[in-house]
């Protein structure tokens, strides 16, 4: 039901799958947090069952070479973002394992993930990170998704990495990902990180561009996977463009990974 196009059906299914007394208590205590509850319960269930609608694996099963690796995290509390530290650590580990020369992030916000990619990648890696130009960040005419509108207004690309020692690796790009020209990056990127607009049309378009950019043996990573609520379209978009049978959900995170085969 999570993958149906009908939002009301999805909401009913989400409640039926996850509603319990704790959810009701949370709803009374903190309505905003209660919205996250169905997604968290659903992801925990999918992590425990491991192979139902898609595969769910731990970071160490996906990247056995991650064991023993050390990563550097600079945690900058980012208002409006709920990304847990474990998820940042997974992104850092994947970066350490793949030793990328090029990373492309769609969706900078303030640059927290860009900074962490920079901290864990080789010295000669370039992190291209794309966000809307200042003039397009007013939001209202761009998105139906209210959570996106708030993020777009609050974004300030570069705020988290400017002045840092690794900032030289980061190239800030501006444009709307739905119309941006990704052609120069075709088949040349080791890690593509998709974390921009969360409406269905944008997720499909970003996913198609990500698949075109990733090089052999590289990977595409999406944030906000397996989410009920505002961000549900991420899972639907991935299903329709990539196929959920081709991705793996990273346990204890909202990350999904696609591995581009060798040539
Ligand atoms: C979830 S935030 C990115 C968070 C960031 N990756 C991090 O974890 O630090 C999404 C960002 O995507 C940007 N965005 C939304 N729609 C976009 C579009 N069509 N093109 C480019 N960027 C977009 C927003 O302005 C916002 O800064």
């Amino acid at each position: 039901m999570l993958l149906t196009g009908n939002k009301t059906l999805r909401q009913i299914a989400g409640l039926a799958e996850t509603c319990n007394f704790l959810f009701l208590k949370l709803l009374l205590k903190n309505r905003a947090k209660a919205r996250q509850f169905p997604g968290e319960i659903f992801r925990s269930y999918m992590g425990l069952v491991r192979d139902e609608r898609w595969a769910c694996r731990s970071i160490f099963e996906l990247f056995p070479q991650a064991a023993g690796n050390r990563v550097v995290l600079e945690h900058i509390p980012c208002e409006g973002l709920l990304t847990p530290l474990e998820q940042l650590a997974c992104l850092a580990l994947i970066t350490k394992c793949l030793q990328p020369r090029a990373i492309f992030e769609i969706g900078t916000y303030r640059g927290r993930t860009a900074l962490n990619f920079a901290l864990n990648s080789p010295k000669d890696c370039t992190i291209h990170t794309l966000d809307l130009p200042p003039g397009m960040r007013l939001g209202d005419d761009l998105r139906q998704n209210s959570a996106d509108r708030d993020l777009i207004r609050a974004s300030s690309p570069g705020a988290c990495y400017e002045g840092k020692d690794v900032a030289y690796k980061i190239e800030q790009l501006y444009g709307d990902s739905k119309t941006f020209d990704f052609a120069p990056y075709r088949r040349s990127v080791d890690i593509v990180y998709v974390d921009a607009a969360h409406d269905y049309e944008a997720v499909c378009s970003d996913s198609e561009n990500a698949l075109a950019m990733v090089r052999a043996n590289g990977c595409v990573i999406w944030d906000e996977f397996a989410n009920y609520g505002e961000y549900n379209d991420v899972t639907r978009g991935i299903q329709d463009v990539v196929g959920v049978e081709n991705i793996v959900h990273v346990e204890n995170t909202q990350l999904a990974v696609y591995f581009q085969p060798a040539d």
Side-chain angles (χ1 to χ4, degrees), residues 78 81 83 105-114 130-132 137 143 148 151-152 155 175-178 193 195-198 202 223-224 231:
C78 241
L81 277 192
T83 318
E105 172 180 66
I106 310 180
T108 314
Y109 194 51
R110 299 183 187 177
R112 187 174 63 155
T113 34
L130 175 72
D131 211 290
L132 293 165
R137 260 189 254 129
R143 298 286 168 264
D148 274 357
L151 274 180
I152 289 168
S155 66
D176 182 339
S177 67
K178 285 200 278 190
Y193 184 50
D195 189 19
H198 300 95
D223 190 14
E224 306 296 353
Y231 292 156

